[in-house]
């Protein structure tokens, strides 16, 4: 029987070789030597969590980053062991690890499998040399092909790949070709992300200086539609706006975020949502380490703001193909928080962007295409 106090566990591993041109995550570069000390801090933080909240059940563990595949596999092994100490991990619980292609080989896959990893995602991002160069990614297309083969040969039960579309210079036929090649790799899960141009990343600054062409939003929408069609035809239907999976291979951990279910985050910048309270760890690596050793590392818990929470839960739920049930949100955050959003929801239904079935609302195909605009109204 599932315990409704069960949590998803997120571990943020901040190490990267270099900062990719489009990245604004909390990472450190050139600091790999600090991985063992980082593992010590994680173990301390996990222990402090269990001391404060008791040993809670957990059904998913997710190593994100940063580049979790970059740290020695012993660090992953230690972290999984510490999670098993601090939480009652469900038998068959999902243990996911994000990786970069150049770190995936027979030895690393065997070590991750031995640590309990049963789901691997590979940040391929582009299956063309031009794409990798435009995105400032290290490695090559061949590295990606080798990584997928090593993951499969090594017996990874659920394999995902990540791709980015809309990079400067990419056109629709090129993207269609990349999708064909990606599907040909036989992934169980595919994540596709439009190039993000709102943060001040090196790539965005180059676009602003006129060194690279500005991505065209209409073309990005065409690319997105092409991907939805091609992936569905290949047996990978959309289950979330950016995520596509063979049935049974959806990310159970990420579904927690979209379904407004609780999670506990560890490592720099990791967020937690436990017993209705949310908090975020210090973003800077050294601040995080100091805080982890001082005890419980979280900065101040967010003040209770049911209106903001309801808006976020609504928008997160609408990202999924299944949509969102408004009844539990009203029970959790109050009728008033949802009543204020009724008019926007009605407008979305009237304009064919959303459908309503009782208390459940979901986006239509057109709604998914302009979801960001709709979400601004609902937040
Ligand atoms: S590997 Fe991922 S986290 Fe690291 S710099 Fe590149 S995009 Fe950012």
């Amino acid at each position: 029987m599932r315990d409704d106090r069960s949590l998803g566990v997120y571990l943020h591993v901040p190490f990267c070789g270099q900062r990719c041109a489009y990245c604004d995550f909390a990472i450190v570069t050139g600091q790999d030597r600090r991985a063992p000390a980082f593992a010590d801090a994680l173990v301390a933080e996990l222990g402090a969590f269990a001391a404060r909240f008791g040993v809670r059940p957990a059904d998913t563990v997710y190593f994100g980053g940063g580049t979790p595949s970059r740290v020695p596999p012993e660090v992953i092994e230690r972290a999984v062991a510490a999670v098993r100490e601090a939480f009652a991990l469900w038998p068959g619980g999902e243990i996911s690890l994000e990786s970069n292609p150049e770190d995936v080989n027979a030895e690393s896959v065997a070590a991750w499998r031995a640590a309990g990893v049963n789901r691997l995602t590979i940040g391929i991002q582009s299956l063309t040399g031009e794409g990798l160069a435009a995105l400032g990614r290290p490695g090559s297309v061949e590295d990606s092909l080798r990584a997928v083969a090593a993951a499969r040969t090594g017996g990874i039960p659920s394999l995902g790949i990540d791709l980015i579309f809309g990079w400067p210079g990419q056109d629709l036929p090129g993207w269609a070709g990349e999708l064909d090649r990606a599907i040909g790799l036989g992934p169980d899960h595919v994540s596709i992300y439009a190039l993000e141009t709102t943060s001040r990343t090196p790539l965005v600054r180059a676009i602003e200086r006129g060194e690279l062409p500005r991505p065209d939003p209409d073309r990005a929408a065409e690319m997105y539609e092409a991907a939805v069609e091609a992936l569905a035809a290949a047996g990978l239907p959309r289950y979330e706006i950016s995520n596509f999976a063979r049935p049974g291979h959806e990310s159970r951990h990420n579904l927690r975020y979209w379904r407004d279910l609780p999670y506990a985050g560890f490592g720099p910048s990791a967020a937690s949502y436990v017993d209705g309270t949310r908090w975020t760890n210090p973003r800077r690596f050294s601040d995080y380490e100091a805080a982890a050793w001082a005890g419980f590392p979280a900065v101040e818990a967010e003040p209770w703001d049911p209106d903001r929470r309801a808006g976020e839960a609504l928008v997160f739920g609408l990202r999924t193909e299944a949509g969102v049930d408004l009844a539990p949100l009203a029970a959790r955050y109050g009728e008033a928080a949802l009543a204020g959003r009724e008019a926007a929801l009605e407008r979305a239904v009237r304009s064919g962007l959303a459908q309503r079935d009782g208390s459940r609302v979901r986006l239509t195909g057109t709604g998914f295409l302009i979801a960001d605009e709709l979400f601004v109204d609902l937040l």
Side-chain angles (χ1 to χ4, degrees):
M1 203 34 199
R2 186 191 171 93
D3 184 326
D4 64 6
R5 294 182 325 136
S6 80
L7 299 168
V9 178
Y10 175 78
L11 300 114
H12 187 84
V13 184
F15 303 97
C16 288
Q18 61 181 68
R19 186 175 282 277
C20 301
Y22 57 91
C23 180
D24 76 335
F25 297 138
I27 64 153
V28 289
T29 57
Q31 309 262 335
D32 292 1
R33 66 185 184 289
R34 292 169 73 184
F38 166 69
D40 293 340
L42 263 189
V43 171
E45 191 191 2
L46 283 156
F49 183 93
R52 177 158 163 180
F53 291 97
V55 175
R56 303 283 287 262
D59 56 3
T60 63
V61 180
Y62 191 103
F63 287 94
T67 315
S69 59
R70 191 171 174 86
V71 297
E74 304 81 70
V75 170
I76 302 300
E77 203 178 330
R78 263 194 87 196
V80 173
V83 169
R84 288 187 189 281
E85 291 257 312
F87 292 88
L89 192 58
W90 282 72
E94 176 186 275
I95 305 184
S96 293
L97 185 121
E98 291 179 351
S99 68
N100 269 353
E102 53 276 22
D103 301 325
V104 184
N105 53 51
E107 294 72 35
S108 57
V109 170
W112 296 330
R113 286 292 290 135
V117 171
N118 51 24
R119 181 172 182 274
L120 185 74
T121 59
I122 305 178
I124 286 178
Q125 314 310 359
S126 175
L127 282 164
T128 67
E130 302 77 46
L132 293 174
L135 294 167
R137 293 283 299 179
S140 64
V141 174
E142 287 65 37
D143 288 334
S144 294
L145 305 185
R146 270 196 296 272
V148 169
R152 283 301 189 205
T153 309
I156 292 289
S158 197
L159 178 63
I161 61 174
D162 298 351
L163 297 171
I164 294 177
F165 64 95
W167 39 266
Q170 189 185 37
D171 60 16
L172 191 54
W175 171 234
E178 282 196 67
L179 283 168
D180 272 354
R181 294 183 75 190
I183 290 165
L185 298 174
D188 302 304
H189 189 282
V190 178
S191 300
I192 58 162
Y193 300 104
L195 181 71
E196 216 263 287
T197 52
T198 49
S199 308
R200 298 273 304 153
T201 59
L203 193 140
V204 169
R205 286 199 293 269
I207 291 170
E208 283 168 358
R209 289 194 300 270
E211 293 163 17
L212 291 170
R214 195 168 281 282
D216 173 352
D218 291 338
R219 183 180 294 166
E222 286 169 13
M223 289 181 177
Y224 178 72
E225 276 188 299
V228 173
E229 202 173 303
L231 291 167
L236 293 142
R238 174 175 60 197
Y239 70 99
E240 192 268 350
I241 195 161
S242 301
N243 288 283
F244 303 76
R246 297 191 194 289
H249 289 273
E250 297 83 4
S251 165
R252 277 150 55 194
H253 183 83
N254 288 335
L255 278 167
R256 283 191 157 272
Y257 301 129
W258 301 317
R259 290 177 176 162
D260 199 31
L261 292 171
Y263 48 87
F266 301 88
S269 80
S272 297
Y273 173 34
V274 180
D275 298 341
T277 302
R278 294 199 310 198
W279 67 86
T280 306
N281 282 355
R283 184 178 164 97
R284 275 189 56 204
F285 186 42
S286 46
D287 293 345
Y288 162 73
E289 276 192 318
W293 286 115
F296 203 69
V299 293
E300 289 285 290
E302 276 180 28
W304 173 246
D305 181 347
D307 185 64
R308 179 175 161 201
R309 296 277 188 94
E312 289 170 359
L314 179 59
V315 160
F316 266 54
L318 283 173
R319 294 179 63 94
T320 64
E321 198 68 37
V324 61
D325 187 348
L326 302 181
L329 291 195
R332 204 168 302 147
Y333 301 113
E335 295 283 349
L338 287 179
R341 292 172 166 95
E342 268 301 330
L345 281 174
E346 268 314 305
R347 273 199 304 278
V349 170
R350 272 202 312 275
S351 10
L353 303 176
Q355 288 169 342
R356 199 150 181 173
D357 180 10
S359 61
R360 182 164 289 275
V361 187
R362 60 183 292 274
L363 295 187
T364 60
T366 318
F368 274 107
L369 277 180
I370 55 160
D372 286 344
E373 290 166 41
L374 181 58
F375 292 164
V376 170
D377 270 356
L378 292 172
L379 277 170

